[in-house]
Coordinates of all heavy atoms in Angstrom, one line a residue:
E76 N -22.9 2.1 -4.7 CA -21.9 2.7 -3.8 C -22.5 4.0 -3.3 O -23.4 4.6 -3.8 CB -20.7 2.9 -4.6 CG -20.0 1.6 -5.1 CD -18.7 1.9 -5.8 OE1 -18.4 3.0 -6.2 OE2 -17.9 0.8 -6.0
P77 N -21.9 4.5 -2.2 CA -22.3 5.8 -1.7 C -22.2 7.0 -2.7 O -21.2 7.0 -3.5 CB -21.4 6.2 -0.5 CG -20.9 4.7 -0.1 CD -20.8 3.9 -1.4
D78 N -23.2 7.7 -2.8 CA -23.3 9.0 -3.7 C -22.6 10.2 -3.0 O -23.1 11.1 -2.5 CB -24.7 9.3 -4.1 CG -24.6 10.4 -5.2 OD1 -23.6 10.8 -5.5 OD2 -25.8 10.8 -5.6
L79 N -21.3 10.2 -2.9 CA -20.5 11.1 -2.1 C -19.4 11.8 -3.1 O -18.7 11.2 -3.7 CB -19.7 10.3 -1.0 CG -18.8 11.2 -0.2 CD1 -19.5 12.3 0.5 CD2 -18.0 10.3 0.8
W80 N -19.5 13.0 -3.1 CA -18.5 13.9 -3.8 C -17.5 14.4 -2.9 O -17.7 14.7 -1.8 CB -19.3 15.1 -4.6 CG -20.2 14.8 -5.6 CD1 -20.7 13.7 -5.9 CD2 -21.0 15.8 -6.3 NE1 -21.7 13.7 -6.9 CE2 -21.8 15.1 -7.1 CE3 -21.0 17.3 -6.3 CZ2 -22.7 15.7 -8.0 CZ3 -21.8 17.8 -7.2 CH2 -22.7 17.1 -8.0
L81 N -16.3 14.6 -3.4 CA -15.2 15.4 -2.7 C -14.9 16.6 -3.5 O -14.5 16.5 -4.7 CB -14.0 14.6 -2.5 CG -12.8 15.4 -2.0 CD1 -13.2 15.9 -0.5 CD2 -11.5 14.5 -1.9
C82 N -15.2 17.8 -3.0 CA -14.9 19.1 -3.6 C -13.8 19.7 -2.8 O -13.9 19.8 -1.6 CB -16.1 20.1 -3.6 SG -17.7 19.2 -4.3
F83 N -12.7 20.0 -3.6 CA -11.5 20.3 -2.7 C -10.7 21.4 -3.5 O -10.7 21.4 -4.8 CB -10.7 19.1 -2.5 CG -10.1 18.5 -3.8 CD1 -8.8 18.7 -4.2 CD2 -10.9 17.6 -4.5 CE1 -8.4 18.0 -5.4 CE2 -10.5 17.0 -5.7 CZ -9.2 17.2 -6.1
L93 N -2.1 12.3 -4.2 CA -2.4 11.6 -3.1 C -3.8 11.7 -2.8 O -4.5 10.7 -2.3 CB -1.5 11.9 -1.9 CG -1.7 11.3 -0.6 CD1 -1.3 9.9 -0.6 CD2 -1.1 12.0 0.6
V94 N -4.4 13.0 -2.9 CA -5.8 13.1 -2.6 C -6.7 12.3 -3.6 O -7.7 11.6 -3.1 CB -6.2 14.6 -2.6 CG1 -7.7 14.8 -2.6 CG2 -5.6 15.5 -1.6
A95 N -6.3 12.3 -4.8 CA -7.1 11.5 -5.8 C -7.1 10.0 -5.5 O -8.0 9.2 -5.5 CB -6.7 11.8 -7.2
E96 N -5.9 9.5 -5.2 CA -5.7 8.1 -4.9 C -6.4 7.7 -3.7 O -7.2 6.7 -3.7 CB -4.2 7.9 -4.8 CG -3.8 6.5 -4.4 CD -2.4 6.3 -4.1 OE1 -1.5 6.6 -5.0 OE2 -2.0 5.8 -3.0
K97 N -6.3 8.4 -2.6 CA -6.9 8.0 -1.3 C -8.4 8.2 -1.3 O -9.1 7.4 -0.7 CB -6.2 8.7 -0.1 CG -4.6 8.4 0.0 CD -4.3 6.9 0.0 CE -3.0 6.6 0.0 NZ -2.6 5.2 -0.1
A98 N -8.9 9.3 -1.9 CA -10.2 9.6 -2.0 C -10.9 8.4 -2.8 O -12.0 8.0 -2.5 CB -10.5 10.8 -2.6
T99 N -10.2 7.9 -3.8 CA -10.8 6.8 -4.6 C -10.8 5.5 -3.7 O -11.8 4.8 -3.6 CB -9.9 6.5 -5.8 OG1 -9.8 7.6 -6.7 CG2 -10.4 5.2 -6.5
E100 N -9.8 5.3 -2.9 CA -9.9 4.2 -1.9 C -10.9 4.3 -0.9 O -11.5 3.3 -0.6 CB -8.5 4.1 -1.2 CG -7.3 3.7 -2.1 CD -6.0 3.7 -1.3 OE1 -6.1 3.5 -0.1 OE2 -4.9 3.8 -1.9
L101 N -11.3 5.6 -0.5 CA -12.3 5.8 0.4 C -13.7 5.9 -0.2 O -14.7 6.2 0.5 CB -12.0 7.1 1.2 CG -10.8 7.0 2.1 CD1 -10.3 8.3 2.6 CD2 -11.0 6.1 3.3
G102 N -13.8 5.7 -1.5 CA -15.2 5.4 -2.1 C -15.9 6.7 -2.7 O -17.0 6.6 -2.8
V103 N -15.2 7.7 -3.0 CA -16.0 8.9 -3.6 C -16.4 8.6 -4.9 O -15.8 7.8 -5.6 CB -15.1 10.2 -3.4 CG1 -14.6 10.5 -2.1 CG2 -14.0 10.1 -4.5
A104 N -17.5 9.2 -5.3 CA -18.1 9.0 -6.6 C -17.6 10.1 -7.5 O -17.6 9.9 -8.8 CB -19.6 9.0 -6.5
V105 N -17.3 11.3 -7.1 CA -16.9 12.5 -7.9 C -15.8 13.1 -7.2 O -15.7 13.4 -6.0 CB -18.0 13.4 -8.1 CG1 -17.6 14.7 -8.8 CG2 -19.1 12.8 -9.0
L106 N -14.7 13.5 -8.0 CA -13.7 14.4 -7.5 C -13.7 15.7 -8.3 O -13.6 15.7 -9.5 CB -12.2 13.8 -7.8 CG -11.8 12.5 -7.0 CD1 -10.8 11.7 -7.7 CD2 -11.4 13.0 -5.7
Q107 N -14.1 16.8 -7.6 CA -14.3 18.1 -8.1 C -13.3 19.1 -7.5 O -13.4 19.6 -6.4 CB -15.7 18.5 -7.8 CG -16.1 20.0 -8.2 CD -16.1 20.0 -9.7 OE1 -16.9 19.6 -10.4 NE2 -15.0 20.7 -10.3
L124 N -5.0 13.0 -12.8 CA -5.8 12.5 -11.6 C -6.7 11.4 -11.9 O -6.8 10.4 -11.1 CB -6.7 13.7 -11.2 CG -6.1 15.0 -10.5 CD1 -7.1 16.0 -10.0 CD2 -5.1 14.5 -9.3
A128 N -6.8 7.8 -10.2 CA -8.0 7.1 -9.6 C -8.3 5.8 -10.3 O -8.7 4.9 -9.5 CB -9.2 8.1 -10.0
I129 N -8.0 5.6 -11.5 CA -8.2 4.2 -12.2 C -7.3 3.3 -11.5 O -7.6 2.1 -11.1 CB -7.9 4.3 -13.7 CG1 -9.0 5.1 -14.3 CG2 -7.8 2.9 -14.2 CD1 -8.7 5.2 -15.9
A131 N -5.9 3.4 -8.5 CA -6.4 3.1 -7.2 C -7.6 2.2 -7.2 O -7.7 1.2 -6.2 CB -6.7 4.4 -6.4
A132 N -8.6 2.4 -8.1 CA -9.7 1.5 -8.1 C -9.3 0.0 -8.4 O -9.9 -0.9 -7.9 CB -10.7 2.1 -9.1
T135 N -7.9 -1.5 -5.3 CA -8.7 -1.7 -4.1 C -9.9 -2.4 -4.3 O -10.8 -2.5 -3.4 CB -8.9 -0.3 -3.5 OG1 -9.6 0.5 -4.5 CG2 -7.7 0.4 -3.0
R137 N -12.5 -1.8 -6.0 CA -13.7 -1.1 -6.3 C -14.2 -1.6 -7.7 O -13.6 -1.9 -8.6 CB -13.4 0.5 -6.5 CG -13.4 1.2 -5.2 CD -13.4 2.7 -5.5 NE -14.6 3.2 -6.0 CZ -15.0 4.5 -6.0 NH1 -14.1 5.4 -5.5 NH2 -16.1 4.9 -6.6
L138 N -15.6 -1.4 -7.8 CA -16.2 -1.8 -9.0 C -16.5 -0.6 -9.9 O -16.9 -0.7 -11.0 CB -17.7 -2.4 -8.7 CG -17.6 -3.8 -8.1 CD1 -18.9 -4.4 -7.7 CD2 -16.9 -4.8 -9.0
T139 N -16.1 0.6 -9.4 CA -16.2 1.9 -10.2 C -15.0 2.7 -10.1 O -14.2 2.5 -9.2 CB -17.4 2.7 -9.8 OG1 -17.2 3.1 -8.4 CG2 -18.7 1.9 -9.8
V140 N -14.8 3.6 -10.9 CA -13.9 4.7 -10.9 C -14.6 6.0 -10.8 O -15.5 6.3 -11.4 CB -13.0 4.7 -12.1 CG1 -11.9 5.8 -12.2 CG2 -12.2 3.4 -12.4
P141 N -14.1 6.8 -9.7 CA -14.7 8.1 -9.6 C -14.6 9.0 -10.8 O -13.7 9.0 -11.5 CB -14.1 8.7 -8.4 CG -12.8 8.0 -8.3 CD -13.0 6.6 -8.8
E142 N -15.6 9.8 -11.1 CA -15.5 10.8 -12.1 C -14.7 12.0 -11.7 O -14.8 12.5 -10.6 CB -17.0 11.4 -12.4 CG -17.0 12.4 -13.4 CD -18.4 13.0 -13.6 OE1 -19.3 12.6 -13.0 OE2 -18.4 14.1 -14.3
V143 N -13.7 12.3 -12.6 CA -12.8 13.4 -12.3 C -13.3 14.6 -13.1 O -13.1 14.6 -14.2 CB -11.4 13.1 -12.5 CG1 -10.4 14.3 -12.1 CG2 -11.0 11.8 -11.6
R144 N -13.7 15.7 -12.6 CA -14.3 16.8 -13.2 C -13.2 17.9 -13.4 O -12.3 18.0 -12.5 CB -15.5 17.4 -12.5 CG -16.6 16.3 -12.5 CD -17.9 16.9 -11.8 NE -19.0 15.9 -11.9 CZ -20.2 16.0 -11.3 NH1 -20.4 17.1 -10.6 NH2 -21.0 15.1 -11.4
R160 N -28.7 17.8 -2.8 CA -27.4 17.2 -2.4 C -26.8 18.1 -1.2 O -26.8 19.2 -1.2 CB -26.3 17.4 -3.6 CG -24.9 16.6 -3.1 CD -24.1 16.7 -4.3 NE -24.6 15.7 -5.2 CZ -24.4 14.3 -5.1 NH1 -23.7 13.8 -4.1 NH2 -24.9 13.5 -6.1
W190 N -24.4 13.3 -0.8 CA -23.7 14.2 0.0 C -22.5 14.7 -0.8 O -22.1 14.0 -1.8 CB -23.1 13.6 1.3 CG -24.2 13.5 2.4 CD1 -25.2 12.6 2.6 CD2 -24.3 14.5 3.5 NE1 -25.9 12.9 3.7 CE2 -25.3 14.1 4.3 CE3 -23.5 15.6 3.8 CZ2 -25.8 14.7 5.4 CZ3 -23.9 16.3 5.0 CH2 -25.0 15.9 5.8
A191 N -21.9 15.8 -0.3 CA -20.5 16.3 -0.7 C -19.8 16.7 0.5 O -20.4 17.2 1.3 CB -20.7 17.3 -1.9
I192 N -18.5 16.7 0.4 CA -17.6 17.2 1.4 C -16.8 18.3 0.6 O -16.2 18.1 -0.5 CB -16.7 16.1 2.0 CG1 -17.5 15.2 2.8 CG2 -15.6 16.8 2.8 CD1 -16.7 14.0 3.2
L193 N -16.6 19.4 1.3 CA -15.9 20.5 0.7 C -14.8 20.9 1.6 O -14.9 21.1 2.9 CB -16.8 21.8 0.6 CG -16.1 23.0 0.1 CD1 -15.6 22.9 -1.2 CD2 -17.0 24.3 0.2
I194 N -13.4 20.9 1.1 CA -12.3 21.1 1.7 C -11.7 22.5 1.1 O -11.4 22.6 -0.1 CB -11.3 20.1 1.6 CG1 -11.9 18.7 2.2 CG2 -10.0 20.4 2.4 CD1 -12.2 18.7 3.7
A230 N -9.1 16.5 4.0 CA -10.0 15.8 3.0 C -10.1 14.3 3.3 O -11.2 13.8 3.4 CB -9.5 15.9 1.6
L231 N -9.0 13.7 3.6 CA -9.0 12.2 4.0 C -9.6 11.9 5.3 O -10.4 11.0 5.5 CB -7.6 11.7 3.8 CG -6.9 11.9 2.6 CD1 -5.7 11.2 2.5 CD2 -7.7 11.3 1.4
A232 N -9.4 12.8 6.2 CA -10.1 12.6 7.6 C -11.6 12.8 7.5 O -12.3 12.0 8.1 CB -9.4 13.7 8.6
A233 N -12.0 13.9 6.8 CA -13.4 14.0 6.6 C -14.1 12.9 5.9 O -15.1 12.4 6.3 CB -13.7 15.3 5.9
L234 N -13.4 12.4 4.8 CA -14.0 11.1 4.1 C -14.1 10.0 5.1 O -15.1 9.3 5.0 CB -13.2 10.9 2.9 CG -13.3 12.0 1.8 CD1 -12.2 11.6 0.7 CD2 -14.6 11.8 1.1
A235 N -13.0 9.7 5.8 CA -13.1 8.6 6.7 C -14.2 8.7 7.7 O -14.9 7.6 8.0 CB -11.7 8.4 7.4
W237 N -17.1 10.4 7.4 CA -18.3 10.2 6.7 C -18.6 8.8 6.4 O -19.7 8.2 6.6 CB -18.4 11.0 5.4 CG -19.8 11.2 4.8 CD1 -20.6 12.1 5.0 CD2 -20.3 10.2 3.9 NE1 -21.8 11.8 4.3 CE2 -21.6 10.6 3.6 CE3 -19.8 9.0 3.3 CZ2 -22.5 9.9 2.7 CZ3 -20.7 8.3 2.5 CH2 -22.0 8.8 2.2
Q238 N -17.6 8.1 5.8 CA -17.8 6.6 5.5 C -18.1 5.8 6.8 O -18.9 4.9 6.7 CB -16.6 6.1 4.7 CG -16.6 6.4 3.3 CD -17.5 5.5 2.5 OE1 -18.5 5.2 3.0 NE2 -17.0 5.4 1.2
G242 N -21.5 6.0 5.5 CA -21.2 5.3 4.3 C -21.3 3.8 4.4 O -22.3 3.2 5.1
D243 N -20.5 3.0 3.7 CA -20.6 1.6 3.4 C -19.6 0.8 4.2 O -19.4 -0.3 3.9 CB -20.7 1.2 2.0 CG -19.3 1.6 1.3 OD1 -18.4 2.2 2.0 OD2 -19.3 1.5 0.0
W244 N -18.9 1.4 5.1 CA -17.8 0.7 5.8 C -18.4 -0.5 6.7 O -17.7 -1.5 6.9 CB -17.0 1.6 6.8 CG -15.9 2.4 6.0 CD1 -15.8 2.4 4.6 CD2 -14.9 3.2 6.5 NE1 -14.9 3.2 4.3 CE2 -14.2 3.6 5.5 CE3 -14.5 3.4 7.8 CZ2 -13.1 4.4 5.5 CZ3 -13.4 4.2 8.0 CH2 -12.7 4.8 6.9

Side-chain angles (χ1 to χ4, degrees):
E76 296 180 345
D78 187 0
L79 176 63
W80 297 3
L81 176 63
C82 305
F83 62 101
L93 178 70
V94 169
E96 175 187 308
K97 300 307 178 186
T99 300
E100 293 180 23
L101 289 166
V103 302
V105 169
L106 287 162
Q107 175 64 75
L124 291 186
I129 289 173
T135 56
R137 273 191 70 160
L138 292 174
T139 62
V140 173
E142 178 186 355
V143 183
R144 295 183 176 173
R160 182 170 296 276
W190 279 83
I192 293 173
L193 176 63
I194 304 293
L231 304 182
L234 287 172
W237 190 94
Q238 278 286 30
D243 61 3
W244 277 10

